[in-house]
Amino acid sequence: MKVAIIMGSASDLPVMQDAIDILHELGVPTEVDIVSAHRTPEKLFEFSKSAHLNGISVIIAGAGGAAHLPGMVASMSPLPVIGVPVKSSNSIDGWDSVLSILQMPGGVPVATVALNGAKNAGILAAQIIGSHDKIVQAKIIAYKENLKDAVNKASDNLKK
C-alpha cells in the first residue's frame, strides 16, 4: 500500500515535504510527483485514472491559488484524496486555496486539512492505510502515545 503525494508545482514541495517525512517515519511507502491541473492536464487525467491500478491506496494533493488539483483528481479517481491547501505567492492569504479544496460538490469528496497542513495529511493517509495494515496501525498508536508523552512532560516541566 503506497501513498501518492502530488503537488501543482515545485514551489509546493517545502510544504508537502512534511507529508513525505511523516509517512516515511511511519513506514508507509510514497510516490512523489508534480502534476499541474492547469499546466499538465493530460498528466493529471492519466495519473487520476490509473493511480489505483499502480499500487496507490491514498492520494495527497497539495495546491495553492485556485487549487484545482485535489478536486480534479477526486473527480476521476476511486481512491481517497486528501487535499492540502498551500499558501503560495499568488494566494489570497491562503483562503482561496482552502475554499477551492474544501467546497467540493456532492459526490466528489476531498478530505481537507489545514492551510499548509501536509503533516496531518500524511498522518490521515497512514490512518486510512492502518485500517487494513496492522503494522502501520501500531506505528500510528505509538506516534500518538509519543504525542501524549510530550505534552505530559511539558506539563510536568511547567510545574517545576
Side-chain angles (χ1 to χ4, degrees):
M1 298 187 150
K2 191 175 355 176
V3 175
I5 302 168
I6 59 172
M7 60 208 84
S9 70
S11 64
D12 298 332
L13 183 57
V15 170
M16 300 306 290
Q17 188 66 47
D18 288 343
I20 297 165
D21 293 345
I22 192 67
L23 286 164
H24 288 175
E25 181 181 328
L26 295 168
V28 177
T30 61
E31 174 182 299
V32 181
D33 202 356
I34 296 169
V35 181
S36 172
H38 302 112
R39 295 178 291 260
T40 60
E42 295 86 359
K43 183 176 183 179
L44 165 72
F45 288 14
E46 177 58 32
F47 169 82
S48 302
K49 290 179 179 183
S50 65
H52 67 288
L53 302 173
N54 295 322
I56 303 299
S57 299
V58 181
I59 300 168
I60 298 173
H68 290 111
L69 182 62
M72 290 298 297
V73 170
S75 75
M76 292 179 272
S77 178
L79 298 174
V81 176
I82 303 168
V84 179
V86 175
K87 185 176 181 182
S88 59
S89 60
N90 66 340
S91 190
I92 305 168
D93 289 333
W95 279 107
D96 47 351
S97 305
V98 170
L99 294 173
S100 292
I101 298 171
L102 185 66
Q103 293 296 110
M104 293 301 299
V108 188
V110 174
T112 309
V113 296
L115 185 65
N116 290 349
K119 183 174 185 176
N120 276 351
I123 293 167
L124 180 56
Q127 289 175 313
I128 292 168
I129 289 173
S131 69
H132 295 356
D133 183 326
K134 296 305 175 193
I135 294 170
V136 173
Q137 187 179 71
K139 290 179 181 182
I140 297 269
I141 291 168
Y143 177 81
K144 291 190 174 212
E145 273 300 310
N146 288 336
L147 291 176
K148 181 176 83 172
D149 291 345
V151 170
N152 288 332
K153 285 177 188 172
S155 175
D156 291 344
N157 289 338
L158 186 64
K159 294 174 185 174
K160 290 182 182 179

